Amino acid sequence: MKIAVGQINPTVGDMSGNAGRINKVVSRAVQEGADLVIFPELTATGYPPRDLLLRPDIINRVEKVLEVDISPASRQVGILIGAPVRSREGQLFNAALLYSGGRLLGRQDKTLLPNYDVFDENRYFLPAERRKLIAFGGLNLGVTICEDIWNDKDYWGEVRYDVDPVADLVSDGADLIINISASPYNAGKCLLRGRMLCSTAKKYHRSIIYVNQVGGNDELVFDGSSLQINAAGEVVWHAKSFQEDFAVLNAVSSGPGRAGFSGPAEEGIQDIFDALVLGVQDYMRKTGFSQAVVGLSGGIDSAVTAALACAAVGPENVLGVAMPSRYSSRESLEDARSLSDNLGMQLRTIPIDSVFSSYLDTFYPGNPVQVDTAEENLQARIRGNILMFISNREGHLVLSTGNKSELAVGYSTLYGDMSGGLAVLADVPKTMVYQLANYINRSRIIIPPRIISKPPSAELSPGQVDADSLPPYPVLDEILKAYIEDNLSEDEIVQLQGSRDLVRDVLRKVDRAEFKRRQAAPGLRVTTKAFGMGRRFPIAWRRG
Amino acid sequence: MKIAVGQINPTVGDMSGNAGRINKVVSRAVQEGADLVIFPELTATGYPPRDLLLRPDIINRVEKVLEVDISPASRQVGILIGAPVRSREGQLFNAALLYSGGRLLGRQDKTLLPNYDVFDENRYFLPAERRKLIAFGGLNLGVTICEDIWNDKDYWGEVRYDVDPVADLVSDGADLIINISASPYNAGKCLLRGRMLCSTAKKYHRSIIYVNQVGGNDELVFDGSSLQINAAGEVVWHAKSFQEDFAVLNAVSSGPGRAGFSGPAEEGIQDIFDALVLGVQDYMRKTGFSQAVVGLSGGIDSAVTAALACAAVGPENVLGVAMPSRYSSRESLEDARSLSDNLGMQLRTIPIDSVFSSYLDTFYPGNPVQVDTAEENLQARIRGNILMFISNREGHLVLSTGNKSELAVGYSTLYGDMSGGLAVLADVPKTMVYQLANYINRSRIIIPPRIISKPPSAELSPGQVDADSLPPYPVLDEILKAYIEDNLSEDEIVQLQGSRDLVRDVLRKVDRAEFKRRQAAPGLRVTTKAFGMGRRFPIAWRRG
């Protein structure tokens, strides 16, 4: 049996658009002689559909599309597709539906519903009541959905759920394990996933076909990276990462594979770069923006953001705006100019000083400058206003440039540099921003070396540098990772890095900046714990 | 047996502060001769602790406080208290713990874990494995936690869960049902809750003691409104709503009650007013602000917000700022002046026109005014900046004034009038804002009648009124409720209200404004479906 893999990029809620995309892949599968074509988890709606799933009209629309667009197409080739399915009592299941001969041949609901981090599946779905093989093309298919395959006690040592769907299906006689997924990317995820799948295939002596969604949906970027693993636990095929892909595979691969897991999923800064580019690209496309605007301070965050934006939508669609103040250095403006020349993007210069003076005059005639946080924030807000004005008048999406380290400790201005539709680096720690900058410069200088080498500064008061109020970024980032990603306590962090006073001060800053993050633009998730939908902290709380 | 009810207002995460509050109530219970004192769900941490529950250091702290502060206090009186409890395997349960004689006497975990709307309990907790009576003071106590008592199939017709903990406990021989809750307020909730509890008591011929948390925690306001219902299903005691309360009750009330449910929980605009006042008060207190600043446009939203703020923290702690532009009417400024006089709060006037001109000059020398959305938003953002400047320099919390109807259709400016630490009216539809204004004026004129009677306008362009771009608010609010609270489809809404074109236009506006709401300040929830943590919609989606 020949199985086609349709690694596609659906748009959330766009059931007819997704059906069109599915049917193009179905046609190609027919042309190339496939017997079955497999699509990712919840392809019908795109993942994550979130509270759209609570709307009966949305589910009606899914049912209609399955009936009118998908089912008839299965007269030519089997179609295995993920979709929400409603029971007669109105309860939803996260299902894999196998259509063949113009009708529904089999269905397997998802058993293990993730409800941690960015996942809310218990909010929407009931778990499968049973796991049952689906006979197709002479094989017994063991169909699983995403989380279902992540519960192997032998691999993980401990597990989150009592049931292991893969074990159940193998003991029932599955010839082949299929997994349809919407598994979001984070640094290291492809490797983790690949190794785990190889181990599972080998343990059960079954080949696995793993089909993952690709594309950016708000905060989440799905990398695709679909795989076929043979029964010896070797990778026999892998899809491209961070783009749509298609292949026709032999259902039970007899070919030799590559022992161990390596390949496109070898993790590195390139994957993070690609994930961010796709995230920007899809956020813009799916919200209907063709052009972006970025404030260029002459610093490294805005340089990397601009480079990512240019890679995503082309430099002709990215406008840089330099907004010098009385505290900006001449070098910063020069660096912003060189950067935009190197990227081939347009640069507009709009000085903020006369607006700044006008505000101060309005507050206090004679405008005595006090150089305090209020004035620092005001300058950042004037810049935010200018970018939003350009956005409102000319139609660009504002990309905000703050990094995760700043967002963590609140070293950013709400309604100022935090303004924007998408926060490109919101989950990129400052130390990783440097890695991205070096990656961007890998074949030729794009980011001027001075941007990379100079001490980071917000340039909001005379001679200000980040190091005045923050520890060195390598130290800060280690503390932040320990606190935010690893949930370590103050005591445990002090063992790792930094003095008691420093650690306590950083943790306090993180806790107190929650009110800013609550109003932050959505950011692209690239670590195991991003601010946003996956980290739900109170604002009005006190450590006591 | 005498049972004391400790309806307290804990602060999330402040385990030692909460223990102090608990122990004051314990002392009073001892003084007044109680045998047992009951506190709400998760009193130890405050509800909702959200992802604090995922931090081992937080759970360690809870365990410490229970051991050192709570358990010893139970030498004098039994203490039934809600707290997260960790199993040896590190899994959490949402438990009710009964301490007596200086040790833990009994424990009942929560069986039904709500995971809808604002609730995420499956994210943190495992359900109780069993329900077991706790013998104390000669009675078999049937202890339940919040959601556990909301699953009576006879009352609701259909239910969300298979298990009914109350039925289990009664059939095991419970003499008395106790429910400890953290049940957030929304309009109509007290009545709903009271009726349901009366019905349950009557059905099982058991009296019920219901102890609810009070206080505002971020978006949620808990009303308290604790109750004792006798076995005939009559209310024999009710606590105050929206404040801490204490009483000592006979465990099994023999006294006559009031048939049916009425009383303080008779719903009306007063409850909504009280909920909002408490929400503002607690948000400020728990985040450490003593003063608030409100932009006063001369319109009804800012008038009601200012009145609520004055009720919450006193007019001496509320600063109004009038920020007239070239488009502001003289009447608006007069109305803002009368309002602040009536409230007894300070008013500062800061005209925005010279800053506005300065921006336009910066963009286009000669500053040609185009009167477009970009300029409208810019004016709103200048006002936002001014308020934030005052906040940053003088330490006030900015209260934003937008109502739910505006937030729904995106009739508001991100980083402009949406600026603020708390969005007081974010869940109050415009029609309800009028009800609040009339309630505020119930005994004397506080809000000048012209503010209530004039057509709503943002005054951001010449002669602009809301009715230019929106349907009349009663129509709009009915459409919005149908769409947002009741999840109705376009077809269903057209049956209720408005033309097809109008309904479609409103729904499209709601969908498209999600990007603004994602960056909105937290708002106080007073309806069954507020924007914020309880409504999780994608931004980059398309209805297709």
Side-chain angles (χ1 to χ4, degrees):
Chain A
M1 181 166 70
K2 286 193 174 298
I3 294 184
V5 171
Q7 176 176 299
I8 69 169
N9 185 343
T11 294
V12 170
D14 186 12
M15 271 65 81
S16 57
N18 296 341
R21 213 170 262 261
I22 289 162
N23 278 330
K24 268 191 202 155
V25 175
V26 167
S27 301
R28 184 162 169 201
V30 173
Q31 268 172 16
E32 302 196 14
D35 301 292
L36 176 66
V37 53
I38 306 180
F39 295 96
E41 180 179 17
L42 293 187
T43 309
T45 57
Y47 194 96
R50 310 196 75 192
D51 281 6
L52 293 177
L53 290 170
L54 303 177
R55 296 196 52 83
D57 53 354
I58 294 283
I59 306 300
N60 293 344
R61 185 84 193 106
V62 170
E63 290 178 349
K64 188 83 177 170
V65 162
L66 290 173
E67 184 196 326
V68 172
D69 294 310
I70 307 301
S71 182
S74 75
R75 293 205 184 88
Q76 299 179 280
V77 60
I79 301 174
L80 180 66
I81 184 178
V85 168
R86 181 166 49 190
S87 72
R88 246 168 299 176
E89 296 77 31
Q91 296 161 320
L92 288 188
F93 296 87
N94 180 344
L97 302 172
L98 200 159
Y99 288 94
S100 176
R103 64 181 193 85
L104 183 63
L105 182 77
R107 163 180 161 192
Q108 176 61 55
D109 299 335
K110 188 174 186 174
T111 303
L112 307 183
L113 300 171
N115 207 62
Y116 51 82
D117 190 47
V118 299
F119 300 108
D120 275 319
E121 294 201 17
N122 288 130
R123 185 174 169 93
Y124 310 110
F125 299 116
L126 287 182
E129 280 163 22
R130 65 190 70 81
R131 286 143 295 285
K132 206 165 158 291
L133 299 172
I134 303 179
F136 184 83
L139 291 177
N140 285 315
L141 307 181
V143 176
T144 59
I145 303 177
C146 206
E147 192 83 348
D148 287 342
I149 209 165
W150 288 82
N151 201 46
D152 182 343
K153 193 161 183 184
D154 293 333
Y155 188 74
W156 300 110
E158 54 176 2
V159 292
R160 199 180 283 268
Y161 314 92
D162 293 334
V163 181
D164 182 350
V166 178
D168 286 2
L169 291 164
V170 169
S171 78
D172 283 356
D175 296 310
L176 168 67
I177 298 296
I178 292 170
N179 184 273
I180 66 171
S181 278
S183 173
Y185 172 77
N186 58 252
K189 185 75 167 281
C190 306
L191 192 57
L192 181 78
R193 199 193 277 142
R195 283 187 177 149
M196 184 269 295
L197 291 172
C198 288
S199 157
T200 301
K202 191 170 176 184
K203 168 177 169 181
Y204 293 114
H205 308 291
R206 292 294 184 286
S207 67
I208 297 177
I209 294 179
Y210 174 84
V211 183
N212 191 23
Q213 174 176 284
V214 70
N217 288 325
D218 288 0
E219 302 173 32
L220 303 183
V221 180
F222 298 86
D223 53 301
S225 317
S226 298
L227 287 168
Q228 184 176 26
I229 321 275
N230 68 18
E234 300 162 339
V235 176
V236 288
W237 171 81
H238 57 74
K240 292 180 187 123
S241 295
F242 305 109
Q243 52 187 291
E244 292 193 324
D245 202 0
F246 176 87
V248 179
L249 311 169
N250 287 318
V252 180
S253 166
S254 50
R258 228 181 28 227
F261 190 80
S262 66
E266 209 80 84
E267 300 298 316
I269 197 69
Q270 182 186 343
D271 278 358
I272 294 168
F273 180 87
D274 289 347
L276 294 170
V277 168
L278 179 59
V280 172
Q281 206 168 59
D282 274 1
Y283 188 86
M284 290 184 63
R285 181 170 61 82
K286 293 176 182 182
T287 54
F289 282 93
S290 54
Q291 299 196 300
V293 59
V294 183
L296 292 187
S297 66
I300 192 165
D301 298 324
S302 57
V304 168
T305 304
L308 289 163
C310 289
V313 293
E316 68 282 10
N317 291 312
V318 182
L319 170 65
V321 184
M323 294 171 283
S325 76
R326 59 186 67 176
Y327 306 117
S328 301
S329 63
R330 188 175 45 81
E331 289 78 7
S332 291
L333 199 57
E334 287 169 8
D335 291 342
R337 167 64 58 200
S338 316
L339 172 77
S340 45
D341 287 347
N342 295 351
L343 284 167
M345 62 185 270
Q346 199 198 327
L347 180 71
R348 200 180 291 179
T349 301
I350 304 179
I352 66 164
D353 216 57
S354 69
V355 174
F356 183 55
S357 295
S358 158
Y359 270 106
L360 295 184
D361 267 332
T362 292
F363 291 123
Y364 312 101
N367 96 62
V369 175
Q370 300 197 11
V371 195
D372 65 353
T373 307
E375 287 177 14
E376 292 186 19
N377 283 334
L378 180 59
Q379 294 169 73
R381 291 192 179 112
I382 293 169
R383 293 191 175 114
N385 291 355
I386 291 172
L387 295 176
M388 291 304 295
F389 188 89
I390 293 172
S391 168
N392 289 161
R393 183 158 282 174
E394 304 176 33
H396 300 75
L397 177 73
V398 178
L399 298 176
S400 68
T401 61
N403 63 63
K404 185 181 194 177
S405 314
E406 288 175 359
L407 199 59
V409 293
Y411 199 75
S412 58
T413 300
L414 203 49
Y415 323 133
D417 53 300
M418 289 177 71
S419 298
L422 183 68
V424 179
L425 303 180
D427 196 37
V428 180
K430 187 79 172 189
T431 46
M432 195 190 275
V433 175
Y434 282 96
Q435 291 179 273
L436 283 169
N438 290 322
Y439 176 76
I440 289 162
N441 281 356
R442 66 197 177 283
S443 45
R444 63 182 183 89
I445 296 293
I446 289 172
I447 299 177
R450 192 163 61 185
I451 288 183
I452 302 179
S453 62
K454 70 185 171 190
S457 165
E459 294 195 333
L460 291 169
S461 60
Q464 181 185 40
V465 290
D466 294 9
D468 295 341
S469 38
L470 295 176
Y473 280 110
V475 174
L476 179 64
D477 282 354
E478 191 172 343
I479 296 172
L480 293 174
K481 178 176 184 300
Y483 189 55
I484 297 160
E485 293 190 60
D486 304 333
N487 266 330
L488 298 189
S489 68
E490 183 184 301
D491 286 347
E492 290 164 319
I493 298 170
V494 171
Q495 300 300 315
L496 286 179
Q497 179 65 271
S499 69
R500 171 74 58 180
D501 284 350
L502 173 64
V503 169
R504 184 169 292 172
D505 181 57
V506 169
L507 270 45
R508 194 169 154 275
K509 284 186 164 117
V510 174
D511 294 345
R512 291 178 61 102
E514 191 59 35
F515 78 99
K516 293 189 185 180
R517 290 189 294 267
R518 188 71 67 93
Q519 296 188 44
L524 300 171
R525 176 180 179 276
V526 295
T527 72
T528 57
K529 183 57 81 178
F531 298 120
M533 64 195 280
R535 188 174 185 273
R536 304 175 188 174
F537 267 67
I539 296 175
W541 73 283
R542 186 180 305 149
R543 192 179 285 277
Chain B
M1 182 169 68
K2 288 197 172 296
I3 295 184
V5 171
Q7 177 177 298
I8 68 168
N9 186 343
T11 294
V12 170
D14 186 12
M15 271 65 80
S16 57
N18 297 339
R21 213 170 263 260
I22 289 162
N23 279 330
K24 269 191 204 155
V25 175
V26 167
S27 301
R28 184 162 170 200
V30 172
Q31 268 171 14
E32 302 197 15
D35 302 291
L36 176 66
V37 52
I38 306 180
F39 295 96
E41 180 181 16
L42 292 186
T43 309
T45 57
Y47 193 96
R50 308 196 78 194
D51 280 6
L52 292 178
L53 290 171
L54 303 178
R55 294 195 54 82
D57 53 355
I58 294 285
I59 305 301
N60 294 344
R61 186 85 191 102
V62 171
E63 290 178 349
K64 187 83 178 170
V65 163
L66 290 173
E67 185 195 324
V68 173
D69 294 309
I70 306 302
S71 182
S74 74
R75 293 206 184 88
Q76 301 179 278
V77 60
I79 301 174
L80 181 66
I81 184 176
V85 169
R86 181 167 49 189
S87 72
R88 243 168 301 175
E89 296 76 31
Q91 296 161 322
L92 289 188
F93 295 86
N94 180 344
L97 302 172
L98 202 159
Y99 289 93
S100 176
R103 63 179 194 89
L104 183 64
L105 182 77
R107 163 181 161 191
Q108 176 61 55
D109 300 334
K110 188 173 186 174
T111 303
L112 307 183
L113 300 172
N115 207 63
Y116 49 83
D117 190 46
V118 300
F119 300 108
D120 275 319
E121 294 201 17
N122 288 131
R123 184 174 170 92
Y124 310 111
F125 299 116
L126 287 182
E129 279 164 23
R130 64 190 70 83
R131 286 144 294 287
K132 207 165 158 290
L133 299 173
I134 302 179
F136 184 83
L139 291 177
N140 284 314
L141 307 181
V143 176
T144 59
I145 304 177
C146 207
E147 192 83 348
D148 287 341
I149 208 164
W150 288 83
N151 201 47
D152 182 344
K153 192 162 182 183
D154 293 332
Y155 187 76
W156 299 109
E158 54 175 4
V159 291
R160 201 181 281 268
Y161 313 91
D162 293 334
V163 181
D164 182 349
V166 179
D168 287 2
L169 291 163
V170 170
S171 78
D172 283 357
D175 296 309
L176 167 67
I177 298 295
I178 292 170
N179 185 271
I180 64 170
S181 277
S183 173
Y185 172 77
N186 58 252
K189 185 74 169 283
C190 306
L191 192 57
L192 181 79
R193 200 193 278 142
R195 284 188 176 149
M196 185 269 294
L197 292 172
C198 289
S199 157
T200 301
K202 191 171 177 183
K203 170 177 168 182
Y204 293 114
H205 308 291
R206 293 293 184 286
S207 68
I208 297 177
I209 294 181
Y210 174 85
V211 183
N212 192 22
Q213 173 176 285
V214 70
N217 288 324
D218 289 359
E219 302 173 32
L220 302 183
V221 180
F222 298 85
D223 53 301
S225 316
S226 299
L227 287 167
Q228 184 176 27
I229 321 275
N230 68 17
E234 299 162 339
V235 177
V236 288
W237 171 80
H238 57 75
K240 293 183 188 120
S241 296
F242 305 109
Q243 52 187 292
E244 292 194 325
D245 202 1
F246 175 87
V248 178
L249 311 170
N250 287 318
V252 180
S253 166
S254 51
R258 228 182 26 229
F261 191 79
S262 65
E266 208 80 84
E267 302 297 318
I269 196 69
Q270 183 187 342
D271 278 357
I272 294 168
F273 179 88
D274 289 345
L276 294 170
V277 168
L278 179 58
V280 171
Q281 207 166 59
D282 274 0
Y283 188 86
M284 289 182 64
R285 180 170 61 84
K286 294 177 182 182
T287 54
F289 282 93
S290 54
Q291 299 196 298
V293 58
V294 183
L296 291 187
S297 67
I300 191 165
D301 297 324
S302 57
V304 169
T305 303
L308 289 163
C310 289
V313 293
E316 68 283 10
N317 291 312
V318 183
L319 169 65
V321 185
M323 295 170 282
S325 76
R326 59 186 67 176
Y327 306 118
S328 301
S329 63
R330 190 175 44 81
E331 289 79 7
S332 292
L333 201 55
E334 287 168 10
D335 291 343
R337 168 63 57 199
S338 318
L339 172 76
S340 44
D341 288 348
N342 295 351
L343 283 167
M345 62 186 271
Q346 197 198 330
L347 180 70
R348 199 180 292 180
T349 301
I350 304 179
I352 67 165
D353 217 56
S354 68
V355 175
F356 183 55
S357 295
S358 159
Y359 271 106
L360 295 184
D361 267 331
T362 293
F363 292 124
Y364 313 101
N367 96 61
V369 175
Q370 299 198 11
V371 195
D372 64 354
T373 306
E375 287 177 13
E376 292 185 20
N377 283 336
L378 180 59
Q379 294 169 74
R381 291 191 179 113
I382 293 168
R383 294 191 175 115
N385 291 355
I386 291 171
L387 296 176
M388 291 304 295
F389 188 89
I390 293 171
S391 167
N392 288 160
R393 183 158 284 173
E394 303 176 34
H396 299 77
L397 177 73
V398 178
L399 297 176
S400 69
T401 62
N403 62 63
K404 186 181 193 177
S405 314
E406 289 175 359
L407 198 59
V409 294
Y411 199 75
S412 57
T413 299
L414 202 50
Y415 323 132
D417 53 299
M418 291 177 71
S419 297
L422 183 68
V424 180
L425 303 179
D427 196 37
V428 179
K430 186 79 172 190
T431 46
M432 195 188 276
V433 175
Y434 282 96
Q435 292 178 272
L436 283 169
N438 290 322
Y439 176 76
I440 290 162
N441 282 356
R442 67 197 177 281
S443 46
R444 63 180 183 92
I445 296 293
I446 288 171
I447 299 177
R450 193 164 60 184
I451 287 184
I452 301 178
S453 62
K454 71 184 171 188
S457 165
E459 295 195 330
L460 291 168
S461 61
Q464 181 185 38
V465 290
D466 295 9
D468 296 341
S469 38
L470 295 175
Y473 280 111
V475 173
L476 179 64
D477 282 353
E478 191 172 344
I479 296 172
L480 292 175
K481 178 176 185 298
Y483 188 55
I484 297 160
E485 292 191 59
D486 304 333
N487 266 330
L488 298 189
S489 67
E490 183 185 302
D491 286 349
E492 291 165 319
I493 298 170
V494 171
Q495 301 298 315
L496 286 179
Q497 178 64 273
S499 68
R500 170 76 56 182
D501 285 350
L502 172 63
V503 170
R504 185 169 293 172
D505 180 55
V506 169
L507 270 44
R508 194 169 153 275
K509 284 186 165 118
V510 174
D511 294 344
R512 291 179 60 104
E514 190 58 35
F515 78 99
K516 292 189 186 179
R517 290 189 292 267
R518 188 69 69 92
Q519 297 188 45
L524 300 171
R525 177 178 178 275
V526 295
T527 73
T528 57
K529 184 57 83 178
F531 298 119
M533 64 194 281
R535 187 174 186 272
R536 305 174 187 175
F537 266 68
I539 296 175
W541 72 284
R542 187 179 305 150
R543 192 179 283 277

